[in-house]
Amino acid sequence: MFTARIAVHPTTDLRGTLLQCDFSGHRFLFGRVAEGTQRALLSRGSKLSRARQIFMTGQTSFVDQMGGLPGLLLSAADQGLQQLGIYGDKNIAWAVATLRHAVFRDSIDITVRHAAEDIVNDFMTVVPVALGTQEDRNMSAADAKALDEYIASVLSAMFPLTKKSGNNFDEIAYAAKRFSKDQLIRTPDVRRDKGPSMSYIIQPHTVRGKFNGRKADELGIPKDNTRNSIISGNSYTLPDGRVVTTDMLLDPDQYIKRLIYLDIPTLRHFEDAKKKNWLADVPTSAEHKMGMRTNVDSLDRLPGTRHIGAVSVIVHQLGPDVHPFSPEYIEFMKQFGTDCEHVIGHPDYIPDSISHTRSAHLNAALRLVSPENFSHLYTARAKSQIPKKYLPLTPPPAVAKITQPSNSPSPEPGGNQEFRAIPLVTGIEYRVKGSIIESTASEFAQDALTNYAALADMQEELLSDIMMRAPDLAERIKVSQDKYYKRQERHMARRGRHASGSTSEISSSSENESEGIAVSEDKKAFGNVSIIAVGTGSAVPAVFRNVIGTIVRLPFYEPPNYKRRYWKDAPFITKSILFDCGESTVGNLARMFGPGPDGVDQKLREVKLAFISHMHGDHYFGLLSFVKARQEAFTRYRIQRLSEANLSDTPMDDNTLYLVAPQMAVGWLEEWEQIYPGLLDGVRFIDARFFLREQESPIYTPHFASVFSDLSQSLNIATIRVVRAVHCLDSYSGSIEFHNGFKLSYSGDTRPNENFVDIGKNTSLLIHEATMDDPLLADAISKRHSTVSEALGVARHMNARNLFLTHFSQRYPVSPRFFAASAGERLSGMRGLREDRHGMFLLRNMSSVFQEDAENWNRSLKLTLAYDGMMIKMKDMHKQGAWTDVLRFVFRNLLTEPEEESDELFQSQKPTKGPNPQKARGGAPWDRNASKKRKRGGPGFVDTTTEQGDANNKSAVAGNAL
């Protein structure tokens, strides 16, 4: 038996489709491993350690095809997978080799090959079909051979399989150093719109017939080991002289229908698909050993009865221009017969539903207590419905939920269908038992169809649970929400007055302000600076936290010449700085703000500076997608302005993106610019070493100085200072000071760093990593990260007034035990942090921590713990303490499963065995009957507080609650 399941489908925050085929515990993946894929698989309980081969479909593309591959490979290796094969087009080895600066694991052997001919394994034969043509390499045969050999050596160094499991930070650092000055890897002279698109025929091996005891009895075969001997291939002679062979005692072999994965991005590829013979005979394993191969360019079809109903399922991954129900495409689908089911993956027929369901549930819980800081996640129904005459006539109940939305008519019974079609939705499943194929939909399918209303309903259900168990807490939530909606009403009323022409409020606000001055000379106005936590996790994407990405939005007063309708309701425009850019940064922004010029496009256009702290994948693998999406946002913006016949320049017309990063970052973008021509148009790069202090060997060139001069003018920056972080090769921490006195400091990944404290003195806003909680100090030291108390210590020595903690270890499902102590109590515990020299400077004059000025700092500190999707202004950072009770309630009573097993910090509550995620209805982060199913603190439960912690929280100042 084998199972084929749609593991993910394209959405706003996940642009790929993945078909998952399971044979006896062995997993094979077909499709596009786009950014967010690994996280979606984890949220649905899919074990990457079972993967054996990945077949990449489509054209060479980082954004659409393989942006999620780095995280998937690292997670699979960390889960114990030791061997994996990756197949794709001619560029696949090159594409994987571009990840060499950040993707290393010596516990796994990964083979990367061009799928040029049939791939045969123990369970199936996979026939690659390249649609379209690819130009030959623009290089000599000798150069091409040398390139292939070099790429092979790079891949061998990336995945050497030198030990059984685990990973060593120093070995990775050494490998990164080895490739740090590596030359640009050339690619064949092919452009994304000219390359072939990979599709596959999946032909499971014929199943050997079962032993037929009745036949053996009729032939008079003794009921002893004789029967086993015959089944093993030996012949047996009956008393009458007849010879019995194996095939005489077996039922007929079962031919299993094939599956086809079609990836047709353009009409040009469709024209080639029509010419292919998708019913070509696939040789058996024995025939393959004799050199026979499948020929999809031949008109010869399957012989005899093997041609009848040869295809069970076809997944159609279609581009926008390839309409599935055009006359030509209908004729194409008809050739596969009425028994074939077509899964339609066209953008118009796929719902833009939630990809990361458990993270969305967490967002809903946080929105309950703080609606101004967490927006409703964007979702949308499919633009079009499958014509009812093609829907399955008698779908199973589970399938009916997918193919027949509540607002669509039921198919008419009876009649003949030309073919069957259903929309491509996560969770659709096909189970093959012999020659019988059962079509069903998994429990995840309903979650995939979650829409905006369903998210609101889920939030109401959570509030009902709280009302039953904690009515006082529910009342506080209701009061908070009432205040929020009243503020929203007042805000909308002001916008209405502005729209009607009343600009007195704007004029009075902006009077006597200099053009281009960030925020205001009044430091009280610094509170309008806001932070968007796009991702707050570390290492690899996880269920509740995506990898790191932080945007700081700076209000700039709008010059009078630029007063246009886009900013009529505010006296300023916004320019932003992006600090690090992990996988799915663009997708998460799109899910938070929705599509369109006033949604994600606006947030992308606002970003004027990107700061990449170092070249670990969780900090930069989203950069290419970000740069490309930002270019597309400006293109759409200009088209909109032209359609409005508005030709005046505005501050938002400037598409320049300043990039401060290690040299390898721009080198990586240059490699992929060979696939995306013009990718770096508008990008102005400054090597991070340019901002180092003199004693740290800076790189000074007139070019970088000129670029920084323009950057300074664009963002009103006075100085940028950078120090080397205590983390890995070419890692940096930085501090940016503006002319109006506002100061912004970002740690990146680092151990506590005295040099960083020096450049960040009296910072207005400190964004600092807090990867580990204090009991894991040894791990923090070995992996060169900071603990929570160490981050607080850095803030104290900087005299920072606002502290934003982020980059939490994925070992914590939600957060470490931040709610159990105040900042002062955290700092007092630092007396024991003496394990390495980088933490030692925090202990100098530690007695001053308890002096009056330090106590005043403790009381005035505005501290915020980052959660994915959070949007918060500096003036509101002290309010997070009010979340304590709600978060404690949610994760004590409603969380069903931790993302990982708890560490020693929670030994008293460490789960022995988590619940089956598939039995938790799609892995939802809470279970309404959780208290009935287990005792508090039992299996599958991680308590984030203790009784003592509860007492501490009751006595702690809200602004200091951690």
Side-chain angles (χ1 to χ4, degrees):
M1 186 188 92
F2 83 91
T3 301
R5 171 188 293 169
I6 303 297
V8 297
H9 73 265
T11 61
T12 289
D13 50 359
L14 202 164
R15 299 178 63 164
T17 297
L18 204 62
L19 176 67
Q20 174 181 303
C21 295
D22 291 337
F23 293 82
S24 303
H26 299 271
R27 181 158 295 162
F28 303 88
L29 303 176
F30 297 81
R32 304 181 184 183
V33 188
E35 295 180 48
T37 297
Q38 174 256 10
R39 191 180 181 205
L41 293 176
L42 284 180
S43 67
R44 293 172 173 87
S46 180
K47 294 184 179 180
L48 300 176
S49 59
R50 294 179 178 175
R52 297 296 177 264
Q53 293 173 326
I54 301 175
F55 298 88
M56 308 290 290
T57 68
Q59 301 169 277
T60 302
S61 168
F62 188 88
V63 175
D64 297 322
Q65 184 197 41
M66 60 167 293
L69 187 62
L72 188 146
L73 295 180
L74 294 176
S75 295
D78 293 342
Q79 290 182 18
L81 183 63
Q82 293 192 10
Q83 287 188 324
L84 182 66
I86 301 175
Y87 298 86
D89 65 7
K90 290 183 178 180
N91 290 335
I92 185 64
W94 168 86
V96 175
T98 65
L99 310 177
R100 63 194 179 279
H101 297 299
V103 179
F104 305 95
R105 283 297 185 268
D106 54 7
S107 60
I108 186 171
D109 179 18
I110 296 181
T111 303
V112 185
R113 293 179 180 172
H114 172 213
E117 59 181 15
D118 296 2
I119 299 115
V120 183
N121 57 45
D122 293 339
F123 307 99
M124 61 184 174
T125 298
V126 178
V127 182
V129 182
L131 302 178
T133 59
Q134 181 172 13
E135 297 177 2
D136 294 333
R137 296 182 175 184
N138 188 21
M139 60 180 69
S140 66
D143 288 342
K145 181 179 179 181
L147 172 63
D148 290 339
E149 291 176 350
Y150 174 69
I151 290 176
S153 68
V154 170
L155 295 174
S156 178
M158 291 169 64
F159 310 107
L161 190 60
T162 58
K163 62 182 183 179
K164 294 183 179 179
S165 62
N167 193 41
N168 185 284
F169 188 90
D170 292 330
E171 291 177 2
I172 290 180
Y174 173 78
K177 185 175 181 180
R178 174 182 178 183
F179 290 126
S180 62
K181 297 182 180 179
D182 194 14
Q183 72 267 33
L184 181 70
I185 296 181
R186 294 182 63 190
T187 188
D189 185 18
V190 57
R191 296 298 177 255
R192 182 176 180 273
D193 60 343
K194 295 181 181 179
S197 179
M198 296 302 299
S199 298
Y200 298 93
I201 298 172
I202 307 167
Q203 179 64 68
H205 293 330
T206 299
V207 177
R208 187 185 186 189
K210 294 182 178 181
F211 172 74
N212 192 320
R214 183 176 57 81
K215 290 184 179 180
D217 293 339
E218 291 175 352
L219 291 171
I221 306 298
K223 295 183 178 180
D224 52 22
N225 290 333
T226 302
R227 297 190 177 195
N228 292 334
S229 176
I230 298 174
I231 296 301
S232 300
N234 300 316
S235 61
Y236 176 76
T237 303
L238 296 170
D240 59 6
R242 289 180 298 166
V243 178
V244 179
T245 57
T246 302
D247 60 296
M248 298 173 65
L249 299 184
L250 299 179
D251 290 332
D253 291 346
Q254 293 180 341
Y255 172 77
I256 302 178
K257 296 181 180 181
R258 66 184 57 176
L259 290 76
I260 298 177
Y261 192 115
L262 288 173
D263 197 315
I264 306 178
T266 68
L267 289 173
R268 177 175 62 85
H269 295 96
F270 175 52
E271 290 301 318
D272 197 27
K274 291 190 295 183
K275 301 174 184 177
K276 301 297 182 183
N277 181 9
W278 299 98
L279 298 176
D281 192 17
V282 176
T284 64
S285 298
E287 291 170 339
H288 274 101
K289 292 179 180 179
M290 293 186 293
M292 298 179 64
R293 296 293 182 266
T294 307
N295 185 4
V296 296
D297 294 316
S298 169
L299 296 180
D300 295 333
R301 297 199 169 189
L302 295 171
T305 58
R306 292 171 62 182
H307 171 64
I308 302 174
V311 183
S312 59
V313 179
I314 301 179
V315 177
H316 301 259
Q317 180 68 57
L318 307 178
D321 297 333
V322 185
H323 198 281
F325 298 107
S326 65
E328 277 190 306
Y329 209 90
I330 288 176
E331 288 300 316
F332 174 70
M333 289 192 283
K334 282 182 181 179
Q335 68 175 303
F336 299 102
T338 59
D339 292 334
C340 177
E341 187 152 287
H342 299 267
V343 183
I344 305 300
H346 186 276
D348 288 348
Y349 294 88
I350 302 176
D352 193 351
S353 51
I354 296 297
S355 301
H356 312 298
T357 53
R358 300 181 68 193
S359 177
H361 293 158
L362 174 59
N363 174 275
L366 291 168
R367 180 169 170 77
L368 268 182
V369 65
S370 187
E372 67 271 22
N373 298 129
F374 295 90
S375 64
H376 275 299
L377 301 180
Y378 171 81
T379 58
R381 290 187 178 275
K383 298 177 183 178
S384 304
Q385 299 293 335
I386 301 291
K388 65 178 183 178
K389 66 179 180 179
Y390 298 125
L391 292 172
L393 296 179
T394 56
V399 175
K401 295 179 181 178
I402 301 173
T403 59
Q404 300 178 61
S406 58
N407 61 346
S408 66
S410 300
E412 298 176 358
N416 296 320
Q417 284 186 297
E418 297 172 313
F419 57 85
R420 301 196 309 271
I422 60 174
L424 188 153
V425 178
T426 300
I428 295 176
E429 188 173 272
Y430 299 90
R431 298 175 183 174
V432 180
K433 298 179 180 179
S435 59
I436 301 175
I437 299 179
E438 298 178 355
S439 175
T440 183
S442 76
E443 297 172 359
F444 303 133
Q446 190 62 33
D447 289 330
L449 291 172
T450 300
N451 54 33
Y452 184 92
L455 287 174
D457 292 343
M458 181 269 299
Q459 191 174 30
E460 290 298 322
E461 291 179 6
L462 173 60
L463 185 57
S464 298
D465 282 329
I466 296 176
M467 291 179 65
M468 288 189 297
R469 305 183 191 187
D472 293 342
L473 181 58
E475 183 61 28
R476 288 166 49 193
I477 291 175
K478 186 176 183 302
V479 170
S480 174
Q481 289 186 328
D482 289 343
K483 291 181 179 179
Y484 167 73
Y485 290 117
K486 287 180 180 178
R487 288 195 300 269
Q488 288 294 97
E489 290 175 0
R490 292 195 297 268
H491 174 68
M492 295 304 295
R494 286 197 300 270
R495 291 192 61 171
R497 291 197 299 273
H498 296 162
S500 64
S502 176
T503 59
S504 59
E505 185 174 343
I506 298 177
S507 301
S508 62
S509 300
S510 56
E511 187 176 358
N512 298 324
E513 294 293 340
S514 300
E515 293 185 6
I517 298 297
V519 197
S520 166
E521 297 298 336
D522 182 2
K523 288 184 172 53
K524 292 182 179 180
F526 290 172
N528 288 323
V529 173
S530 60
I531 308 168
I532 301 176
V534 187
T536 61
S538 64
V540 293
V543 172
F544 291 112
R545 293 187 184 275
N546 192 43
V547 287
I548 193 71
T550 308
I551 293 177
V552 177
R553 305 180 72 224
L554 305 167
F556 281 71
Y557 283 105
E558 179 188 353
N561 293 338
Y562 299 137
K563 288 187 182 294
R564 299 176 65 246
R565 71 177 182 85
Y566 296 101
W567 300 288
K568 280 186 177 180
D569 59 335
F572 55 79
I573 62 173
T574 299
K575 297 182 181 181
S576 301
I577 301 175
L578 171 66
F579 290 101
D580 284 325
C581 189
E583 174 186 333
S584 289
T585 293
V586 172
N588 285 5
L589 284 171
R591 182 65 73 190
M592 291 169 63
F593 300 104
D598 297 325
V600 64
D601 282 7
Q602 178 181 343
K603 299 302 183 291
L604 293 172
R605 297 198 317 270
E606 287 176 357
V607 176
K608 302 301 179 183
L609 169 63
F611 180 92
I612 304 300
S613 63
H614 63 291
M615 294 295 288
H616 281 171
D618 58 322
H619 290 255
Y620 83 94
F621 273 143
L623 182 61
L624 192 156
S625 300
F626 180 86
V627 172
K628 190 171 185 302
R630 186 175 179 274
Q631 288 180 340
E632 294 170 351
F634 270 101
T635 299
R636 288 189 290 267
Y637 174 73
R638 293 182 182 120
I639 292 174
Q640 177 185 353
R641 291 186 57 236
L642 288 173
S643 67
E644 297 173 352
N646 190 332
L647 303 180
S648 61
D649 292 333
T650 75
M652 300 306 290
D653 282 332
D654 182 11
N655 71 339
T656 301
L657 175 66
Y658 297 94
L659 175 62
V660 176
Q663 177 67 40
M664 286 186 290
V666 73
W668 178 65
L669 294 177
E670 287 173 350
E671 287 180 352
W672 277 96
E673 193 175 25
Q674 298 170 102
I675 299 296
Y676 300 107
L679 176 66
L680 291 176
D681 291 352
V683 177
R684 304 189 67 187
F685 170 70
I686 306 178
D687 194 314
R689 292 173 292 178
F690 173 79
F691 299 105
L692 288 172
R693 296 182 294 188
E694 292 183 3
Q695 60 268 33
E696 296 182 272
S697 302
I699 291 180
Y700 182 87
T701 67
H703 170 71
F704 288 156
S706 174
V707 175
F708 174 63
S709 176
D710 294 341
L711 167 61
S712 176
Q713 184 176 2
S714 175
L715 288 177
N716 198 39
I717 292 174
T719 61
I720 296 180
R721 300 182 69 186
V722 164
V723 297
R724 294 189 184 276
V726 184
H727 187 60
C728 68
L729 182 75
D730 285 343
S731 59
Y732 304 96
S733 305
S735 185
I736 304 173
E737 189 166 1
F738 298 84
H739 282 295
N740 63 347
F742 182 77
K743 192 171 185 178
L744 172 62
S745 299
Y746 179 69
S747 71
D749 285 7
T750 185
R751 291 288 296 137
N753 188 349
E754 192 168 10
N755 293 330
F756 181 46
V757 170
D758 290 342
I759 67 171
K761 282 290 186 181
N762 299 313
T763 190
S764 306
L765 172 63
L766 170 62
I767 303 173
H768 204 289
E769 68 127 296
T771 306
M772 308 288 183
D773 204 1
D774 296 348
L776 297 181
L777 177 62
D779 285 353
I781 292 172
S782 66
K783 297 179 180 179
R784 301 172 194 173
H785 288 291
S786 298
T787 67
V788 176
S789 291
E790 286 174 332
L792 282 166
V794 171
R796 170 67 187 94
H797 282 68
M798 275 189 181
N799 195 34
R801 296 301 178 183
N802 298 274
L803 175 60
F804 190 81
L805 294 181
T806 186
H807 195 270
F808 301 115
S809 170
Q810 305 290 17
R811 74 185 65 238
Y812 308 114
V814 184
S815 295
R817 292 175 58 187
F818 289 121
F819 297 106
S822 68
E825 290 167 329
R826 283 277 186 177
L827 290 174
S828 66
M830 289 180 56
R831 293 181 179 275
L833 304 184
R834 302 176 181 272
E835 280 76 357
D836 77 333
R837 62 185 179 88
H838 300 294
M840 288 298 294
F841 82 91
L842 297 177
L843 300 174
R844 297 172 189 167
N845 303 318
M846 186 53 71
S847 59
S848 66
V849 171
F850 305 103
Q851 296 175 358
E852 183 176 353
D853 63 329
E855 293 177 0
N856 291 336
W857 171 84
N858 177 33
R859 286 193 294 268
S860 63
L861 173 67
K862 293 180 180 179
L863 171 64
T864 296
L865 310 178
Y867 290 89
D868 281 21
M870 174 191 290
M871 302 168 289
I872 191 167
K873 291 185 176 181
M874 277 177 51
K875 64 183 178 182
D876 296 328
M877 288 179 65
H878 67 287
K879 297 179 180 180
Q880 195 181 41
W883 303 6
T884 303
D885 291 340
V886 171
L887 289 177
R888 186 188 301 116
F889 176 88
V890 169
F891 298 112
R892 174 178 295 165
N893 297 297
L894 303 176
L895 187 66
T896 61
E897 185 193 26
E899 181 184 339
E900 297 182 24
E901 285 192 349
S902 178
D903 51 75
E904 62 267 31
L905 183 63
F906 304 112
Q907 280 188 354
S908 60
Q909 296 90 18
K910 186 170 182 179
T912 56
K913 183 179 181 181
N916 185 340
Q918 296 188 21
K919 293 181 179 179
R921 198 177 181 277
W926 59 71
D927 186 341
R928 300 182 66 177
N929 298 316
S931 60
K932 299 178 182 179
K933 294 181 179 179
R934 60 181 181 269
K935 295 181 180 179
R936 177 179 171 183
F941 173 80
V942 175
D943 194 354
T944 56
T945 62
T946 61
E947 293 182 2
Q948 181 62 40
D950 292 342
N952 289 335
N953 271 292
K954 293 177 181 178
S955 61
V957 178
N960 292 330
L962 295 178

